[in-house]
Amino acid sequence: MYTWVHPGRGEGEGAGGGTNRQTEGRPGFVVTTFLAGLRSMQLTLLILCCLLAYSPFGDANEYRASRSEPQKRDDNAEDEQEKPRYILELQGRGIQNEDLELIPAPDLSGGARKAEPPKEDESPAHFSQEVQGNEVPNDAIKMIPAPDLSGGEPHSSDDGSGTLDEEEIPSDLAAALAQTRLLKNLFLQMNGLPYAVVGEPEEEITQEEVAKAMKELPDLPKEPPKVLTPQELEAESLWTKAMITLNTTHPNIIEAYSQIKQAASTGHSQARLHLAWAELLGTNPVKQDIESAKKTFYDLAENHNIPDAHMGLGFLFATGISVNASQARALVHYTVAALGGSQWARMALGYRYFAGATVPNSCEKSLDFYRKVANKVAEDVSLSGGGMVQRVRLLEEAENPGYNSGILDKDLIDYYQLLAEKGDVQAQVGLGQLHYQGGRGVQQDHLQAARYFMQAADAGNPAAMAFLGKIYLEGSDMIKQDNQTAFKYFKKAADQGNPVGQSGLGLMYLHGKGVPKDYQKALKYFTQAADQGWVDGQLQLGNMYFSGLGVRRNYRMANKLFALASQSGHVLAYYNLAQMHATGTGMLRSCSMAVELYKNVAERGKWGNRLMEAHWHYRNGHFEEAFVTYALLAELGYEVAQSNAAFVLDKGELLSLFNNQEEMFVRALMYWGRAASQGYSAAQVKLGDYHYYGLGTPVDYEIAASHYRHASDHQHNAQAMFNLGYMHEQGLGMQQDIHLAKRCYDRAAETNNDAKVPVYLALMKLSVIFVLKHFEEGNWQDDIFFLNLNKLLGPYWDLYLITALLGLLIALVRFRRPQP
């Protein structure tokens, strides 16, 4: 049945019934005639109730099927006249036009749907006319019968006979449909069809039955493996050896890239792609060759559709390097690469949708992209919690001589090594942790870390024993994984109350590594470690509360423990918090918070090491290589890379990549803006400077003041406060107000001690201006010419005054210094 036919009353019917010639021959006419012959009102009401309880739709169809073809033609003509009033009556009974919309059933036959002739008990033309009377087009009400899932004869055939040869049904679908009654019901549920279509009662399907049914489905045919030629086999062997070499602790980079070049020369796609990225970024020992990289990206993207090649093209179009910048084309290539599985492209799109950069802001889309990258990063995180991401800011390094980038000086490392060789246990543990974790300019090296930890463990240090346990439990390319040795060191450290050892024992009992699984013991050891503030103990204890392992499930407690672990920077703590915020588990769902946490996890991937590569390029004068690497990471959403790329452009050291200085300022302004939107206050001040001086944009004091005010009020930046005070003093972009200028100067001095000297000079100048202002208001400047400094010294007399005051201050300090 495709629609319901509702009997209606004629226009001449009264309250007690009546007849109308326009409704003769229809079920409504029979009912009305029968009711008119009844004399008792009670009996009439009783029969009306019975008729309402009995569905009129089935009677209408049975009555229509029992009539002859001439009667049907007469009814069609009468329906054409009755149609407007009939539709109005349906609407008066609470049936709207959309209730008559017919949704065709899906075709599960595996082939093209054949037209089926109308059966005797159905009249498609009759239904179509009724719906067309409601201004619904014919093509919107195509009647496609539901597929027969009973395993019997098919519905239609090419000749319209209502049968279909078995050869025309795909063999895998026919076998699946004929297996069990459970499969038929499963297909009905998947396609939203009622069980009455096949005349079977509705029954519940459990998850176990669904899983069993899916297993019974025939396997899809698999493509035969591609047969490689001897040349392709050799290229694949070279590529595999090169990747193994690069992933070792101390790789032979020259040998590895020699193998990659040999594989690429034979046409190996992955080798060509890897070499193209090395040429684009100038990765040692490959020299930068952007044009060669671009050609390879084009070839691999157009002829092989490799996702990371699309990522390379998207990056070039986004930054305008070697091509005309086109954000639209960049977005297309990013999207294709992300759909193909490129993690970099997913990060780039995740950042763009979250920040609204060249695309409409969409937190949910950003969440989807960042979650996929975070899942991959979380899978690769080891027991050490993942490597550190060193974030060195070139702007702060240049402006602050005492800036601590976190990179240890080689002389300092040599000093600690000397202490360690002399038996200093603390130096041994410190160097062991430095090599175990990596970062701060030191490469991760578990073998070197184990050597230092072994020396400290022999001296009885429990922390060294615990870290030795972690090294053996995790294993590496240099040290074989050994559960028994790990348990021995963990037990020794835990017996001395070391939280690292307690957490290690808990981990072994939790997963049954070398010992039987015991959730109670794991809970005990994790609790002891967490009580001492150890990050791994907090994380694992949170996992147990989250999953209800050995303890009653408690999402609030899990959230608290994950938050504590995230304060120490553990990647998995950020990941677990992101999962809870994304799904609203144990808390209100927050898309923005989940995206920020997922973004933090995604930026802890191994590609974060390229930040240090870019810094090494910059320190060694390879400015083009540094900029391209920073620009790539800036596209991935790294705020420190965005500010560093803008800083390199601001210095004007990339004239070979871009046409002129003005173009570089425009690009720098974009990067400063993106870094400022991620909360970097110095970038916000730079935005104000660019609008103040007209670098890459027209001069606009009001916009400059708004950027300074934002950095001052929301980020408490002393430089912004000072600049805002100067603009108040000069009346630039706002009304001149000496009192507000003094207030801004005072706030700058209170915020940063380094600002006290320039603030002191500015206040001295402000005092002089205040005195001069007093004379100006008294009209004494006409009598005393030298007080009119604008005419005497020009518009920049205040700068001359500050210079003179600074020289006076230096002279006073020099003369007051005690003479030898």
Side-chain angles (χ1 to χ4, degrees):
M1 261 178 236
Y2 296 96
T3 188
W4 303 120
V5 179
H6 293 259
R9 295 195 297 179
E11 293 179 359
E13 291 179 303
T19 62
N20 190 305
R21 286 182 301 172
Q22 293 178 347
T23 60
E24 286 184 353
R26 302 182 62 187
F29 171 75
V30 176
V31 175
T32 306
T33 305
F34 178 71
L35 293 178
L38 297 178
R39 298 180 180 276
S40 171
M41 179 62 71
Q42 295 179 350
L43 184 58
T44 302
L45 294 176
L46 178 61
I47 294 177
L48 281 174
C49 292
C50 293
L51 290 175
L52 289 174
Y54 180 75
S55 173
F57 313 119
D59 293 342
N61 286 332
E62 291 175 5
Y63 186 72
R64 182 181 293 105
S66 66
R67 297 190 312 170
S68 60
E69 289 298 324
Q71 287 175 320
K72 291 183 179 181
R73 287 194 296 268
D74 293 339
D75 283 346
N76 288 340
E78 292 175 2
D79 289 341
E80 187 66 24
Q81 299 175 0
E82 182 70 10
K83 179 171 48 183
R85 180 181 56 78
Y86 179 64
I87 296 298
L88 291 174
E89 288 188 4
L90 288 179
Q91 294 177 350
R93 294 170 180 237
I95 301 175
Q96 303 299 325
N97 295 348
E98 55 269 19
D99 295 330
L100 297 177
E101 183 181 356
L102 300 171
I103 302 175
D107 182 9
L108 301 180
S109 65
R113 171 63 62 187
K114 307 297 187 303
E116 182 182 5
K119 299 181 181 178
E120 293 183 358
D121 59 340
E122 296 173 349
S123 180
H126 176 71
F127 297 162
S128 178
Q129 290 172 2
E130 288 180 350
V131 180
Q132 285 178 16
N134 237 351
E135 299 182 356
V136 180
N138 257 334
D139 55 2
I141 55 171
K142 293 180 180 178
M143 308 240 181
I144 301 177
D148 182 9
L149 304 180
S150 63
E153 293 295 327
H155 283 289
S156 61
S157 64
D158 293 334
D159 57 3
S161 62
T163 62
L164 187 67
D165 294 338
E166 292 183 0
E167 289 78 13
E168 298 184 22
I169 302 178
S171 59
D172 55 347
L173 183 58
L177 295 178
Q179 281 183 3
T180 61
R181 177 174 176 176
L182 175 62
L183 282 178
K184 292 185 292 183
N185 290 334
L186 177 62
F187 275 98
L188 290 174
Q189 281 191 353
M190 292 172 60
N191 293 277
L193 297 175
Y195 292 101
V197 174
V198 293
E200 293 179 353
E202 185 174 353
E203 60 185 60
E204 275 191 40
I205 301 179
T206 63
Q207 295 293 336
E208 291 77 9
E209 291 174 325
V210 172
K212 181 180 177 181
M214 297 304 292
K215 289 181 180 179
E216 293 176 358
L217 289 174
D219 294 333
L220 295 176
K222 297 181 179 179
E223 295 183 1
K226 181 182 177 182
V227 179
L228 300 178
T229 64
Q231 186 180 17
E232 291 174 338
L233 287 173
E234 183 182 359
E236 184 66 27
S237 175
L238 289 171
W239 166 252
T240 303
K241 291 178 181 178
M243 288 298 99
I244 294 175
T245 302
L246 289 177
N247 290 325
T248 57
T249 303
H250 298 287
N252 188 338
I253 298 178
I254 296 178
E255 179 184 354
Y257 272 97
S258 175
Q259 294 171 340
I260 291 174
K261 289 179 180 179
Q262 294 179 36
S265 64
T266 62
H268 191 278
S269 299
Q270 292 300 322
R272 292 180 62 199
L273 178 66
H274 191 96
L275 191 61
W277 279 108
E279 290 175 340
L280 176 66
L281 303 176
T283 303
N284 185 44
V286 180
K287 293 184 178 180
Q288 189 177 53
D289 189 342
I290 298 177
E291 290 299 325
S292 175
K294 181 178 69 173
K295 291 178 182 178
T296 305
F297 287 148
Y298 268 117
D299 179 55
L300 294 177
E302 293 177 357
N303 299 325
H304 302 276
N305 200 29
I306 296 180
D308 282 325
H310 283 285
M311 170 63 200
L313 289 178
F315 166 68
L316 292 178
F317 281 112
T319 56
I321 297 176
S322 185
V323 296
N324 292 327
S326 173
Q327 298 302 324
R329 298 186 68 177
L331 187 62
V332 169
H333 285 293
Y334 281 157
T335 304
V336 173
L339 293 176
S342 171
Q343 304 299 337
W344 285 1
R346 287 171 176 172
M347 287 186 68
L349 287 178
Y351 166 72
R352 289 197 172 214
Y353 279 110
F354 186 58
T358 72
V359 294
N361 184 281
S362 177
C363 183
E364 295 299 333
K365 288 184 179 180
S366 177
L367 176 66
D368 183 55
F369 286 118
Y370 269 126
R371 175 164 30 204
K372 292 176 181 178
V373 183
N375 290 341
K376 176 62 177 175
V377 174
E379 290 176 3
D380 298 336
V381 172
S382 62
L383 295 177
S384 61
M388 294 179 60
V389 178
Q390 201 70 35
R391 305 174 189 266
V392 181
R393 303 186 185 278
L394 298 181
L395 176 63
E396 297 180 8
E397 196 175 45
E399 293 184 350
N400 303 320
Y403 172 71
N404 182 15
S405 63
I407 299 177
L408 295 178
D409 187 74
K410 187 178 182 304
D411 294 337
L412 184 61
I413 296 176
D414 292 340
Y415 172 71
Y416 280 117
Q417 287 177 345
L418 179 62
L419 292 178
E421 295 299 331
K422 290 184 176 181
D424 190 309
V425 176
Q426 294 301 323
Q428 293 168 350
V429 173
L431 286 173
Q433 290 177 340
L434 189 62
H435 286 90
Y436 174 72
Q437 188 73 31
R440 305 192 68 179
V442 178
Q443 186 180 3
Q444 192 176 33
D445 188 344
H446 283 186
L447 184 62
Q448 188 75 354
R451 186 173 72 86
Y452 285 118
F453 285 141
M454 194 71 71
Q455 294 174 1
D458 291 341
N461 186 277
M465 299 176 188
F467 277 102
L468 274 175
K470 293 184 71 173
I471 290 176
Y472 280 104
L473 181 63
E474 182 178 350
S476 65
D477 61 321
M478 307 290 291
I479 297 179
K480 184 179 179 181
Q481 196 270 346
D482 189 342
N483 287 332
Q484 299 302 323
T485 305
F487 183 83
K488 178 184 71 173
Y489 282 115
F490 281 145
K491 190 70 170 63
K492 289 182 178 180
D495 290 342
Q496 299 185 47
N498 183 268
V500 183
Q502 293 167 347
S503 177
L505 281 181
L507 199 63
M508 298 191 75
Y509 280 113
L510 178 65
H511 298 290
K513 293 188 174 183
V515 293
K517 276 189 179 181
D518 192 330
Y519 291 147
Q520 295 302 321
K521 287 186 177 180
L523 181 67
K524 180 187 74 172
Y525 285 119
F526 286 145
T527 303
Q528 293 174 354
D531 289 342
Q532 298 187 61
W534 178 238
V535 57
D536 285 341
Q538 295 166 343
L539 173 68
Q540 299 300 337
L541 187 60
N543 287 335
M544 296 193 72
Y545 275 108
F546 182 86
S547 304
L549 301 176
V551 66
R552 185 175 180 179
R553 180 171 294 175
N554 189 333
Y555 291 131
R556 181 175 297 180
M557 192 67 181
N559 178 43
K560 177 183 176 181
L561 290 166
F562 291 151
L564 289 173
S566 67
Q567 293 177 5
S568 300
H570 202 292
V571 179
L572 293 181
Y574 286 118
Y575 178 75
N576 293 344
L577 280 176
Q579 296 280 66
M580 296 184 73
H581 281 285
T583 57
T585 304
M587 62 184 69
L588 290 176
R589 185 177 185 273
S590 174
C591 177
S592 59
M593 182 63 69
V595 169
E596 290 182 3
L597 291 168
Y598 277 134
K599 182 176 182 292
N600 199 323
V601 175
E603 291 180 357
R604 301 295 186 93
K606 55 186 179 182
W607 41 82
N609 294 331
R610 293 190 178 273
L611 282 171
M612 291 307 301
E613 292 182 15
H615 184 259
W616 180 87
H617 282 308
Y618 184 81
R619 293 289 294 269
N620 288 275
H622 306 153
F623 300 121
E624 293 185 358
E625 290 86 344
F627 170 75
V628 174
T629 306
Y630 278 135
L632 172 63
L633 296 174
E635 284 294 306
L636 304 188
Y638 286 84
E639 173 269 312
V640 64
Q642 292 167 349
S643 62
N644 286 351
F647 176 82
V648 177
L649 287 170
D650 187 66
K651 291 298 181 182
E653 295 161 337
L654 297 174
L655 295 178
S656 61
L657 283 178
F658 303 107
N659 297 328
N660 50 56
Q661 186 72 35
E662 185 64 23
E663 181 183 354
M664 294 167 60
F665 282 139
V666 172
R667 297 174 186 274
L669 181 64
M670 177 195 69
Y671 285 121
W672 287 128
R674 291 185 178 181
S677 66
Q678 297 200 61
Y680 185 36
S681 62
Q684 194 80 46
V685 175
K686 276 291 186 180
L687 282 177
D689 293 343
Y690 271 53
H691 284 91
Y692 184 90
Y693 295 107
L695 302 177
T697 183
V699 174
D700 193 325
Y701 293 134
E702 293 184 0
I703 296 180
S706 68
H707 286 299
Y708 292 146
R709 187 176 292 108
H710 185 277
S712 171
D713 296 341
H714 299 282
Q715 298 164 336
H716 306 288
N717 187 285
Q719 182 66 55
M721 296 173 186
F722 186 91
N723 294 352
L724 202 58
Y726 182 81
M727 296 186 74
H728 275 298
E729 175 188 333
Q730 299 296 325
L732 301 174
M734 60 189 69
Q735 187 176 1
Q736 188 176 21
D737 192 326
I738 295 179
H739 301 285
L740 282 178
K742 182 180 184 303
R743 183 181 302 175
C744 291
Y745 287 144
D746 290 338
R747 288 182 58 196
E750 293 171 359
T751 303
N752 192 336
N753 290 330
D754 294 337
K756 288 187 175 180
V757 173
V759 165
Y760 178 74
L761 296 175
L763 289 176
M764 290 178 61
K765 186 195 72 171
L766 201 62
S767 301
V768 174
I769 292 176
F770 184 78
V771 173
L772 295 178
K773 203 76 174 175
H774 178 70
F775 282 107
E776 288 179 2
E777 291 176 357
N779 295 324
W780 293 357
Q781 68 274 15
D782 296 334
D783 301 329
I784 308 176
F785 174 74
F786 70 89
L787 289 178
N788 194 341
L789 298 180
N790 285 330
K791 294 181 180 179
L792 184 64
L793 300 177
Y796 299 105
W797 62 269
D798 55 339
L799 299 179
Y800 304 147
L801 179 60
I802 290 180
T803 305
L805 292 174
L806 180 60
L808 179 61
L809 182 62
I810 294 174
L812 290 174
V813 171
R814 182 176 181 82
F815 284 115
R816 290 188 60 183
R817 184 178 300 173
Q819 299 297 326

